[in-house]
Amino acid sequence: MCSDFHRAESGTELLARLEGRSSLKEIEPHLFADEESPVHGDILEFHGAEGTGKTEMLYHLTARCILPKSEGGLEVEVVFIDTDYHFDMLRLVTVLEHRLSQSSEEAVRHCLGRLFLLYCGGSTQLLLTLCSLQTMLCSHPSVCLLILDSLSAFYWIDRANGGESVNLQESTLKKCAHLLEKLVNEYRLVLFATTQSIMQKASNPEEGPSCAFNRPSDVDVDYRPYLCKAWQQVVKRRILFSKQNDSKAGNQFSLVSRHLKSNNLKKHFFTIGESGVEFC
Amino acid sequence: MLTTCALLICPGKEKVDVVELVSADLEEVAQKCGLSYKALVALRRVLLAQFSAFPFNGADLYEELKTTTAILSTGIGSLDKLLDAGLYTGEVTEIVGAPGSGKTQVCLCVAANVAHGLQQNVLYIDSNGGLTASRILQLLQARTLDEEEQAGALQRIQVVRAFDIFQMLGALQDLRGAVSQQVRSSSGTLKVVVVDSVAAVVAPLLGGQQREGLALMVQLARELKTLARDLSVAVLVTNHMTRDRDSGQLKPALGRSWSFVPSTRLLLDSTQGSGSLGSRRVACLTKSPRLPTGCQETVDLGSWGTPAFQGDHKGHWEQSPVFQGDHT
C-alpha cells in the first residue's frame, strides 16, 4: 500500500499531504527556544528512568496541541501510539480541565476529539500500524504531532524472539524506525518518542548492555544506547529526564536537551502539579 | 493479535514473512515468492486491515472509560487516602516492602473487603503460600457475624496457586477464557485480581545473561496490564525489596524494566513507628499518576480481624493461621 500511494497520488492527495499541517513552533516556548523549535520532520526522543516525568511531559504537549486557540492551544490533532497500556486518559482529562477556562464536559470532549489513540501489542503490530497510518494521515490533514510511548516496550521480547542473531532481534524495530522517518518527513509531522532507561549504568562504556556494573554517573551522561542503530540515527534531538532527589527542592524534575547534530546542550527544570508540567 | 510472523511458502520459491510483505517493494516480493503482484497487494491490504491497531478517538474512549472505571476501596482508610480513594480498575497497583512488612495482610484485607463490603469477585493468585482460608475467615468475621454472609464472601474469592511464571501466565489465560465464554457467576463480577507475589515467580528468572527471563517478565507485565484494561479490573501485585549495588539503599526488586509497569506503588515500611514487633506500618506513596509522591500514612495491621501477631518473621505468621498477641 505504501508504494501504491506514491505511484498514483492524485492532486487532492498531494494537497492533503502537504497543505494544512500547521507549525508546531509555539508548542512549548520554555522547552524549545525559537531557533530550536521542533520543525516538520523532527524526531525527538524522551529518555529517562521511571518516574522522571516523560509521560507527564507528553500529556502537557498533547494538551497544548488539542486545546482550542481561544484557550491558548494550537488546535491541531495528535496521534498517540501507546505500546505498553500506559496512557492514562483520566489524567489527561484532569490536565485539560485545569487549563480550560470553562471546564465543561462539552469543552473537554471537544478537545479529546482531536486525539487519536492506537494500542500496539508487539513490534510487528507496531510496524503494521505505522503502515496503515498513512491512510489515516491523508484523511486527517490537521494531524501535526505523532507521539509514541514507548519505543522500547518490546525490547526484551524482541531480543528473546530473535535468537542469537542481533540483526534478527533488531530487524522489526529497524523497519519501524525507517518507516517513522518516512512518515514524519512526508506528512510533515513532529514525532516525540519515549524510550525507557532500562539498562544499569556502566563504569566502562564498552561493555554490553546486560552488564551489571554500577558507578554513580553524572545525569548528563546517563544515557546507555541499547536500541538499534537505525533508530539512533533518525533521532534529531534527545531529551534526558531525571528527578532531583533534593529534599529542599521538593518534587523537582530536570531535563537536558541535546541537539544531536549541533551538540547544543540545554538544561531546564520543571515541577508537576495538578495541571501538569510547570516550568520553573 | 499478531505475535508471531506468518510465513508464506510457495513451492520452489523463497519464504516471505509478514514484515517483508508490508514494508518491502511488492514487485520484488512477487518475483521472489511466485505469487502475482495483485495477490500480494490484496494480501497486504487484508493484513493491514486485520492486524494493525484501530485508531480510537479520544472523546469516545473517554466516554467508555467513564462508564467502566470503578474505584475500589481497600477497606483500610489510610491506604485509601494514599491511593486517592482506592484501587482504580484498569490499572496495576504495586505494594512493595521487606519481608514481614504486611504486604500479604494488605492483600487479604483487600480481598475480604471487595468480597464482603463491595460484593464483587476477587481472583487471588498466590505464589507465596501466604494465603490461608482461615485468615480470610477471621477478617470476614471481624466484619460480620452472619455466617451466611461470610460464606457468600468466601465464595466470591477464587484462589489459584501458581508457583512458577508459566503457571501464573496459565492462570491469567484461564481467566480470559472464562470471561470470553461469559461464564457468569450469580454473585457478582470480577473486579480485583491480586497477585501475591509477583517477585516470587519472576526473581528466579532474572540474573545472569538470560534474556528469556526478562522477556518472560515483560510478557507477564503486559498480560497484567492488558487484563486490567480489557476486563476493567484492578490488579494488585506485591513485590520484594533488594539492596542497590551502589548506594546500599533498599529499592523495589525486579529491576528497572519492571519499575515502569505499575501505575501506582506503595511502600510498606516496618522499621519505623513502634518497631518491628508492633503492628504499625508506615505506608509511603512512591509512584502515582494522580497524587504527588512522598505522602505517608500509618497503617495499623493489628486493627483488622484478630489482634496483632507477635514477631515479624515472615515465616512465623504466614504459616500459622491463629495468632496469639497483644491488643494494641
Side-chain angles (χ1 to χ4, degrees):
Chain A
M1 213 185 291
C2 320
S3 45
D4 290 355
F5 264 109
H6 291 173
R7 226 166 290 183
E9 196 176 36
S10 70
T12 38
E13 280 165 346
L14 182 69
L15 279 176
R17 190 159 62 81
L18 296 180
E19 185 187 79
R21 308 269 180 204
S22 343
S23 163
L24 284 181
K25 245 167 108 69
E26 300 299 309
I27 188 169
E28 179 45 78
H30 284 108
L31 193 54
F32 306 111
D34 246 349
E35 331 80 56
E36 315 159 359
S37 287
V39 289
H40 301 297
D42 254 4
I43 295 185
L44 295 94
E45 178 182 336
F46 286 2
H47 184 87
E50 177 263 313
T52 49
K54 304 184 294 297
T55 310
E56 273 292 329
M57 185 61 77
L58 289 178
Y59 294 149
H60 169 71
L61 294 167
T62 306
R64 284 275 301 148
C65 286
I66 61 180
L67 281 169
K69 289 213 171 93
S70 54
E71 304 277 2
L74 298 170
E75 212 165 308
V76 296
E77 292 181 350
V78 175
V79 171
F80 197 116
I81 303 178
D82 183 9
T83 58
D84 47 13
Y85 282 80
H86 193 56
F87 182 76
D88 189 351
M89 176 63 84
L90 300 177
R91 174 62 187 155
L92 180 63
V93 167
T94 311
V95 170
L96 287 173
E97 282 175 347
H98 277 90
R99 296 184 185 197
L100 284 168
S101 56
Q102 178 215 25
S103 59
S104 63
E105 282 295 304
E106 253 321 296
V108 169
R109 215 176 305 142
H110 210 65
C111 291
L112 289 177
R114 294 194 196 97
L115 175 65
F116 297 97
L117 273 139
L118 296 97
Y119 296 109
C120 284
S123 45
T124 316
Q125 192 181 27
L126 177 61
L127 183 63
L128 293 176
T129 305
L130 292 175
C131 284
S132 51
L133 211 54
Q134 304 196 23
T135 354
M136 199 203 150
L137 291 172
C138 275
S139 55
H140 288 93
S142 48
V143 173
C144 293
L145 183 59
L146 180 59
I147 295 181
L148 180 48
D149 184 22
S150 64
L151 191 59
S152 53
F154 311 122
Y155 177 71
W156 292 117
I157 298 179
D158 283 347
R159 277 197 68 184
N161 284 339
E164 290 307 317
S165 148
V166 177
N167 270 338
L168 207 59
Q169 291 168 12
E170 295 180 340
S171 63
T172 319
L173 202 66
K174 203 159 79 166
K175 298 210 165 71
C176 287
H178 289 142
L179 201 49
L180 281 168
E181 191 186 25
K182 203 165 87 144
L183 277 177
V184 154
N185 281 327
E186 280 179 14
Y187 294 90
R188 295 166 42 126
L189 309 170
V190 171
L191 168 68
F192 288 113
T194 55
T195 54
Q196 298 153 343
S197 168
I198 55 180
M199 297 299 177
Q200 301 266 36
K201 299 173 209 168
S203 52
N204 185 354
E206 274 110 74
E207 288 179 31
S210 53
C211 75
F213 279 100
N214 288 282
R215 198 184 282 172
S217 48
D218 188 14
V219 70
D220 287 340
V221 300
D222 181 22
Y223 173 67
R224 304 235 20 243
Y226 57 90
L227 290 176
C228 57
K229 278 258 164 350
W231 167 251
Q232 290 167 40
Q233 280 161 2
V234 304
V235 175
K236 295 243 168 58
R237 180 190 288 275
R238 184 167 294 124
I239 304 180
L240 298 175
F241 285 74
S242 61
K243 185 162 178 183
Q244 310 286 88
N245 276 321
D246 226 344
S247 53
K248 49 181 158 70
N251 260 348
Q252 209 183 49
F253 300 81
S254 76
L255 59 87
V256 175
S257 167
R258 166 188 257 127
H259 192 277
L260 291 178
K261 287 232 166 61
S262 65
N263 236 348
N264 209 346
L265 266 183
K266 264 202 164 180
K267 194 157 183 173
H268 298 268
F269 294 95
F270 62 95
T271 56
I272 299 178
E274 271 283 306
S275 63
V277 166
E278 281 157 39
F279 280 92
C280 302
Chain B
M1 209 165 25
L2 200 65
T3 48
T4 53
C5 293
L7 297 179
L8 275 179
I9 302 174
C10 313
K13 297 280 186 169
E14 283 176 47
K15 293 186 263 192
V16 179
D17 70 7
V18 163
V19 168
E20 217 179 315
L21 187 58
V22 298
S23 54
D25 181 17
L26 283 183
E27 278 191 351
E28 288 173 20
V29 177
Q31 280 178 1
K32 235 176 63 161
C33 82
L35 287 181
S36 77
Y37 179 78
K38 273 205 176 131
L40 287 176
V41 167
L43 198 56
R44 177 186 263 177
R45 204 161 286 169
V46 166
L47 273 175
L48 288 179
Q50 189 104 20
F51 293 110
S52 61
F54 179 77
F56 293 102
N57 182 276
D60 297 337
L61 208 61
Y62 179 49
E63 285 305 314
E64 197 192 310
L65 273 179
K66 277 200 290 191
T67 54
T68 56
T69 305
I71 309 176
L72 304 155
S73 161
T74 57
I76 306 160
S78 41
L79 285 190
D80 279 351
K81 235 191 279 179
L82 290 178
L83 295 170
D84 197 16
L87 298 171
Y88 279 59
T89 56
E91 290 183 9
V92 174
T93 306
E94 178 180 87
I95 300 185
V96 67
S101 55
K103 309 185 288 293
T104 302
Q105 292 304 302
V106 170
C107 289
L108 293 174
C109 195
V110 167
N113 193 59
V114 171
H116 176 259
L118 304 175
Q119 309 261 311
Q120 301 294 340
N121 294 348
V122 177
L123 171 65
Y124 198 113
I125 303 181
D126 181 18
S127 63
N128 245 347
L131 177 142
T132 54
S134 41
R135 178 58 183 153
I136 299 233
L137 186 59
Q138 280 170 352
L139 289 170
L140 290 170
Q141 281 166 343
R143 283 173 168 70
T144 173
L145 294 170
D146 183 325
E147 289 195 357
E148 262 192 50
E149 271 187 48
Q150 292 165 11
L154 280 176
Q155 279 187 338
R156 286 190 205 101
I157 304 176
Q158 184 195 355
V159 177
V160 173
R161 309 234 180 228
F163 294 109
D164 65 46
I165 195 164
F166 301 102
Q167 285 181 354
M168 192 173 284
L169 287 168
L172 296 173
Q173 283 283 33
D174 289 344
L175 173 63
R176 275 188 182 272
V179 168
S180 66
Q181 282 168 25
Q182 310 210 301
V183 173
R184 283 208 195 295
S185 63
S186 50
S187 55
T189 44
L190 182 70
K191 277 291 166 215
V192 176
V193 174
V194 179
V195 181
D196 180 26
S197 74
V198 76
V201 299
V202 173
L205 304 170
L206 301 179
Q209 299 280 67
Q210 314 163 34
R211 288 190 308 266
E212 288 76 20
L214 280 158
L216 277 171
M217 179 181 82
V218 168
Q219 197 184 331
L220 177 65
R222 295 190 72 88
E223 275 300 314
L224 290 171
K225 292 193 87 145
T226 52
L227 201 77
R229 279 290 166 110
D230 296 345
L231 304 184
S232 289
V233 297
V235 175
L236 179 64
V237 302
T238 62
N239 190 7
H240 297 157
M241 301 278 270
T242 55
R243 253 175 223 289
D244 187 52
R245 246 176 279 254
D246 279 339
S247 54
Q249 299 265 338
L250 283 175
K251 61 173 187 181
L254 304 183
R256 288 180 175 214
S257 298
W258 178 266
S259 67
F260 292 96
V261 173
S263 328
T264 309
R265 185 179 300 117
L266 281 177
L267 172 62
L268 280 182
D269 196 352
S270 55
T271 55
Q272 297 178 31
S274 54
S276 44
L277 283 181
S279 61
R280 280 216 169 76
R281 300 289 183 268
V282 175
C284 180
L285 186 67
T286 55
K287 181 174 181 181
S288 171
R290 282 169 287 275
L291 296 175
T293 58
C295 310
Q296 287 187 342
E297 291 284 337
T298 316
V299 178
D300 196 342
L301 301 181
S303 58
W304 318 332
T306 317
F309 44 84
Q310 224 168 29
D312 65 357
H313 187 253
K314 190 167 151 65
H316 176 78
W317 56 256
E318 278 188 330
Q319 275 147 32
S320 64
V322 178
F323 323 113
Q324 329 263 259
D326 309 315
H327 287 255
T328 44

